[in-house]
Amino acid sequence: MDVKIENSWKNHLQAEFDKDYFIRLTDFVREEYRTKRIYPPANQIFNAFDKCPFDKVKVVIVGQDPYHEPGQAHGLCFSVNDDVPFPPSLDNIFKEIRQDLGTEVPKSGNLERWANQGVLLLNATLTVQAHKAGSHQHKGWEEFTDSVIYSLSNERENLVFILWGAYAQRKGENIDANRHLILKSPHPSPLSAHRGFFGNKHFSKANDYLLQHSKEPIDW
């Protein structure tokens, strides 16, 4: 199957695109876009990959679902388009960055600036029906994104995997901790951020690790 995704990712993931589950997933997603309001826009489903080629990845942040309200989702986990108010989790992420690094909260919640530096902002599920969180779970996306994490874990070295919350931590259970730095904490959601997300210092820890391995740190 010919999937419109950045070429380096296409080379690494072509075997997935030819599997039965992915063909079924593609049929499902096409019908959903044809008959319902689905986020993100269809041409941004693989935006995280298009903005951050396989060999440029330095940090992986694992999310769950795209945002399901109008104008928010654009294919990068936790990120929103310019001029969109920060969702609560993103607001807390910026608060932790300010506390950790002393940087001011940005005016835009668009995290493409991270992706362009090598941060893969990977949701476990890449599409969602409007106003229905989790509506595209268990359709095949999780198997696909597991293969993404597996490829990075096994074919790259000295990456930082940031896993916030139990869901992301389960998703990252098979990452090779001998080859990579794995950072875990509660989720930045207002329901859990005060249980250990605030103060986790993941942003400075990620940069320290990158510097130790002769990589440019991320300008968070």
Side-chain angles (χ1 to χ4, degrees):
M1 177 178 290
D2 184 30
V3 175
K4 291 180 180 176
I5 191 171
E6 191 273 334
N7 280 334
S8 66
W9 285 106
K10 181 177 282 191
N11 292 336
H12 284 276
L13 300 173
Q14 186 60 55
E16 295 301 309
F17 300 146
D18 294 332
K19 290 180 180 177
D20 288 345
Y21 87 86
F22 195 87
I23 294 168
R24 289 194 301 271
L25 170 64
T26 301
D27 290 342
F28 166 76
V29 169
R30 282 190 182 128
E31 183 65 11
E32 288 285 285
Y33 274 94
R34 191 181 72 80
T35 58
K36 298 169 185 169
R37 185 179 293 274
I38 305 299
Y39 300 124
N43 65 353
Q44 295 181 333
I45 292 173
F46 295 112
N47 200 22
F49 303 89
D50 296 337
K51 293 286 188 293
C52 188
F54 185 89
D55 295 323
K56 302 293 187 185
V57 176
K58 295 190 283 192
V59 178
V60 182
I61 298 179
V62 178
Q64 189 164 353
D65 260 9
Y67 295 121
H68 55 267
E69 296 301 326
Q72 293 181 313
H74 64 132
L76 309 177
C77 73
F78 295 107
S79 178
V80 291
N81 284 300
D82 294 327
D83 302 319
V84 174
F86 301 164
S89 291
L90 182 58
D91 192 39
N92 284 339
I93 288 169
F94 288 144
K95 286 178 181 176
E96 173 57 23
I97 291 172
R98 183 176 61 187
Q99 182 177 322
D100 185 10
L101 300 173
T103 55
E104 287 304 308
V105 173
K107 291 183 169 57
S108 172
N110 188 330
L111 302 181
E112 285 186 9
R113 60 186 181 274
W114 294 2
N116 292 333
Q117 298 176 76
V119 182
L120 181 67
L121 294 158
L122 179 68
N123 273 318
T125 302
L126 300 189
T127 54
V128 69
Q129 185 179 340
H131 316 303
K132 292 190 175 181
S135 50
H136 285 188
Q137 291 178 3
H138 312 301
K139 302 295 184 182
W141 279 131
E142 294 92 342
E143 188 170 346
F144 172 70
T145 51
D146 280 347
S147 75
V148 172
I149 293 170
Y150 179 86
S151 293
L152 288 167
S153 175
N154 286 277
E155 297 176 43
R156 296 288 312 280
E157 291 190 3
N158 306 134
L159 302 183
V160 181
F161 288 87
I162 296 179
L163 310 175
W164 294 325
Y167 183 92
Q169 287 161 29
R170 286 194 300 272
K171 189 88 177 157
E173 281 176 347
N174 295 318
I175 297 166
D176 186 345
N178 294 315
R179 295 166 67 113
H180 308 286
L181 176 65
I182 303 171
L183 298 174
K184 301 178 183 179
S185 83
H187 195 275
S189 159
L191 299 174
S192 56
H194 291 280
R195 296 204 293 265
F197 174 79
F198 289 129
N200 66 23
K201 298 189 179 297
H202 281 181
F203 303 97
S204 59
K205 289 176 181 176
N207 278 352
D208 288 346
Y209 181 83
L210 293 174
L211 285 167
Q212 287 166 19
H213 293 90
S214 303
K215 299 183 182 185
E216 280 288 313
I218 306 299
D219 180 4
W220 299 107

